[in-house]
Amino acid sequence: MRHSPLFLELLLLLTVAMPASSRAARGGALIEPGDVVINEFAASNTVILDPAGEAEDWIEMYNNTSEAVSLDGMYLTDTPANPGLWQFPTGTTIEAEGFLIVWADQDLEQEGLHAGFKLSASGEQIWFSDVTLALLDSVTFGPQTTNLTMARVPNGTGPFVQGTPTFNATNGGGGGNVIDPGAVVINEFVADNDTLQDPAGETDDWIELYNTTNQPIDLGGLYMSDDFAEPTKWQIPDGTTIGVDGYLMVWADEDLTQEGLHAAFKLSASGEAIVLSNTDLSIVDSTSFVAQVTNVSMARIPNGTGAFVPDTTPTPGINNEDEILQAMVLSIELVSAGTARMVWPAVTLATDYDIYRGTTAYFDTSGA
């Protein structure tokens, strides 16, 4: 059947003007990478239950667009060599800025979306492809920690970071928690510790946070890292607060399942950085340091506001100047006629002039 030039021109105009949502609904092949993404996944889950009441691995998809998108005929796999391993059923739609959960459990007959593969807690890949098997999104991951997930932060667009699950909800935690710079500071840290023990009895590196304000502060969802280029290495769990004029200990040991707060990084005794960031990745506080001495902390003097100075007597969980007042030893030695020196062997005296540990001050005794 032959069509008139006018008919063909109208058909072309309708095709060009067709909105993205309509094009997606006609099979999905024309959606762009980043429109729908792998947003979060759990490869070792024992707590979140599927509709059958089973704790299975899961993958959360997220629609970054302002239109509903049909996933009819698209694919998920954990085997890049077989990108068509599991296909989304006909009628699968993900709402605008919405979430969709796929259970990676091979239980294809159960209620909900159940993929034909399971995730490996020892690490592998997840691929998301369109109806032509063109890759739309993917993630490669290493060994996973039970009941922690890998999630994009910021939600839908950011890199994957490990943290507590935000199943079927916005990643980032803390309800978009943002605090003022300096409200909570990195107050003291040890990057080479073999004396102070964590609750598990292990001598790991540690970081002390301090609340400089007169209000309790919610730290849930904020991030800590040892790398300015990767600020989301570890997310502070929801519900974590620091009291007025209070202290909070974080063990930098990668022991995420142990009692207490344990960050997903370790400190390097040869020197690096510590960064505390808001959920929007603005920096609350940070410090960079050089090579460290075993069991010597770097502590802010005056407490909470001063510069970092070496402290041979670490003060975890208390004011950095408390031991100064309790253990200050002052000796006065006559150097020569009319001149003496004061020596603080291991303490700091906070006066109009900050005199730090191990320093010597000379003064005139002649009365002139």
Side-chain angles (χ1 to χ4, degrees), residues 204-207 250-255 261-263 265-267:
D204 291 314
D205 301 339
W206 53 269
I207 303 163
V250 176
W251 298 94
D253 58 5
E254 298 179 341
D255 295 326
L261 294 175
H262 295 261
F265 59 87
K266 296 181 178 182
L267 298 181

Side-chain angles (χ1 to χ4, degrees), residues 330-345:
L330 170 65
S331 64
I332 302 178
E333 300 175 4
L334 186 65
V335 176
S336 61
T339 303
R341 66 181 178 185
M342 297 183 295
V343 182
W344 288 265

Side-chain angles (χ1 to χ4, degrees), residues 86-284:
W86 180 75
Q87 190 172 41
F88 283 91
T90 300
T92 303
T93 300
I94 184 168
E95 297 301 320
E97 299 179 352
F99 303 89
L100 189 70
I101 300 296
V102 178
W103 298 94
D105 59 3
Q106 298 179 329
D107 293 327
L108 303 181
E109 303 302 319
Q110 290 184 353
E111 177 187 352
L113 295 175
H114 295 261
F117 59 88
K118 296 183 177 183
L119 298 180
S120 171
S122 62
E124 56 171 344
Q125 293 179 292
I126 307 172
W127 277 29
F128 171 49
S129 303
D130 69 13
V131 296
T132 70
L133 296 180
L135 184 64
L136 293 172
D137 193 26
S138 67
V139 59
T140 300
F141 59 93
Q144 298 296 288
T145 301
T146 299
N147 298 324
L148 296 179
T149 63
M150 298 295 292
R152 288 190 183 276
V153 179
N155 185 78
T157 58
F160 282 93
V161 299
Q162 189 175 63
T164 54
T166 54
F167 180 84
N168 214 30
T170 300
N171 301 335
N177 198 5
V178 176
I179 65 176
D180 292 334
V184 174
V185 298
I186 300 160
N187 199 47
E188 187 177 9
F189 64 89
V190 172
D192 190 4
N193 167 45
D194 67 9
T195 55
L196 186 67
Q197 296 183 347
D198 68 9
E202 300 169 345
T203 54
D204 291 314
D205 301 339
W206 53 269
I207 303 163
E208 176 194 82
L209 301 179
Y210 173 65
N211 180 357
T212 66
T213 77
N214 60 1
Q215 297 291 332
I217 293 180
D218 176 15
L219 296 180
L222 272 67
Y223 296 98
M224 294 188 72
S225 177
D226 62 343
D227 188 348
F228 283 101
E230 194 177 347
T232 58
K233 279 192 174 183
W234 179 66
Q235 187 173 42
I236 299 176
D238 286 345
T240 302
T241 60
I242 184 168
V244 176
D245 196 34
Y247 302 86
L248 194 67
M249 288 285 290
V250 176
W251 298 94
D253 58 5
E254 298 179 341
D255 295 326
L256 301 180
T257 60
Q258 290 184 353
E259 178 187 351
L261 294 175
H262 295 261
F265 59 87
K266 296 181 178 182
L267 298 181
S268 172
S270 62
E272 56 173 346
I274 306 173
V275 189
L276 173 65
S277 303
N278 280 312
T279 56
D280 64 3
L281 302 187
S282 59
I283 293 178
V284 179

